[in-house]
Amino acid sequence: MTEVEPTDYTETLDALERRVHEARFTLQRRANAELIALYWHIGRTILEKERTSAWGAGVVTNLASELQTDFPTMRGLSRSNVLSMRAFAAAWPERNGIVRQPVGQLPWTHIVQLLEKLNEQALREWYAGKDVQHSWSRAELIHQIDTRLHERDDAAPSHFAAALERSDSDLAQELMRDPDTVGFLGVGAELTPD
């Protein structure tokens, strides 16, 4: 005797699959937010120590090395990345400035691009907002900065947000594959999309 599939089976399966994707994306966004807050805290601590204890570049090198030893599964603790954390905290000196603004929703690699490619804080914040609004990939963010989107924004409206579901957007996919986020969680490929 063969088992008959219920008439609402496909719809139920689709709904459950959507819920799994939503839960995974929510977890990744939360992990990313914690990672960004951690990186800001590391950068802020370095800035404070430089101001009060005369820390220099050698101390940052040692700090990065010790952190890498203590957390071997975490990518992102290299000297250059720790210096980027310092630049991040200098660019957004208030923690609320990252928690309540678009920059706090971006993957770390996007934030590094904002820091490296833009010198004006207002432009960094403008591109961070556009990045979140349109769910850009890192490559798209770089392209938009390099082609100076801020100067031509009204001439070229985007329909990405309307055309893509949030779970299928480039930003969502990038968060799922971001080695900094995965390493921060201390997990392997189990968060990688099917």
Side-chain angles (χ1 to χ4, degrees):
M1 182 178 197
T2 60
E3 190 172 321
V4 176
E5 189 174 286
T7 57
D8 63 346
Y9 177 82
T10 302
E11 294 82 15
T12 302
L13 177 61
D14 289 345
L16 291 174
E17 287 173 344
R18 276 192 309 277
R19 182 63 189 111
V20 168
H21 286 294
E22 289 169 7
R24 290 173 83 188
F25 185 58
T26 298
L27 175 62
Q28 289 153 354
R29 284 182 38 220
R30 287 181 183 163
N32 184 67
E34 286 297 320
L35 178 68
I36 298 308
L38 171 66
Y39 283 1
W40 180 87
H41 181 78
I42 291 170
R44 185 71 185 153
T45 300
I46 292 168
L47 288 173
E48 288 174 9
K49 293 295 183 180
E50 286 176 345
R51 185 177 55 81
T52 62
S53 303
W55 276 29
V59 176
V60 171
T61 299
N62 291 342
L63 181 68
S65 178
E66 292 289 338
L67 287 171
Q68 286 176 316
T69 299
D70 291 344
F71 301 98
T73 62
M74 257 184 91
R75 288 188 37 148
L77 296 173
S78 67
R79 179 184 182 278
S80 63
N81 213 33
V82 171
L83 289 172
S84 292
M85 293 173 204
R86 181 192 176 283
F88 177 45
W92 281 275
E94 299 296 323
R95 186 173 190 282
N96 286 342
I98 60 164
V99 172
R100 294 188 180 146
Q101 292 186 22
V103 70
Q105 300 173 43
L106 295 176
W108 177 245
T109 56
H110 291 221
I111 295 169
V112 170
Q113 291 305 309
L114 294 173
L115 293 168
E116 290 178 356
K117 294 192 165 290
L118 300 166
N119 293 324
E120 295 177 40
Q121 187 63 16
L123 284 178
R124 288 176 180 152
E125 292 176 10
W126 187 86
Y127 278 100
K130 291 293 184 180
D131 192 346
V132 169
Q133 178 184 2
H134 298 294
S135 301
W136 290 335
S137 67
R138 181 178 160 271
E140 183 67 18
L141 172 63
I142 292 168
H143 171 75
Q144 297 299 356
I145 292 171
D146 288 347
T147 60
R148 304 181 63 80
L149 175 65
H150 65 279
E151 293 177 352
R152 56 185 173 78
D153 185 43
D154 291 335
S158 172
H159 302 288
F160 291 141
L164 297 174
E165 289 185 26
R166 183 72 172 161
S167 63
D168 293 331
S169 70
D170 288 341
L171 183 59
Q173 293 299 319
E174 204 157 318
L175 278 175
M176 292 177 82
R177 285 184 240 121
D178 182 20
D180 285 331
T181 304
V182 173
F184 172 63
L185 290 173
V187 295
E190 54 268 14
L191 288 181
T192 306
D194 300 337

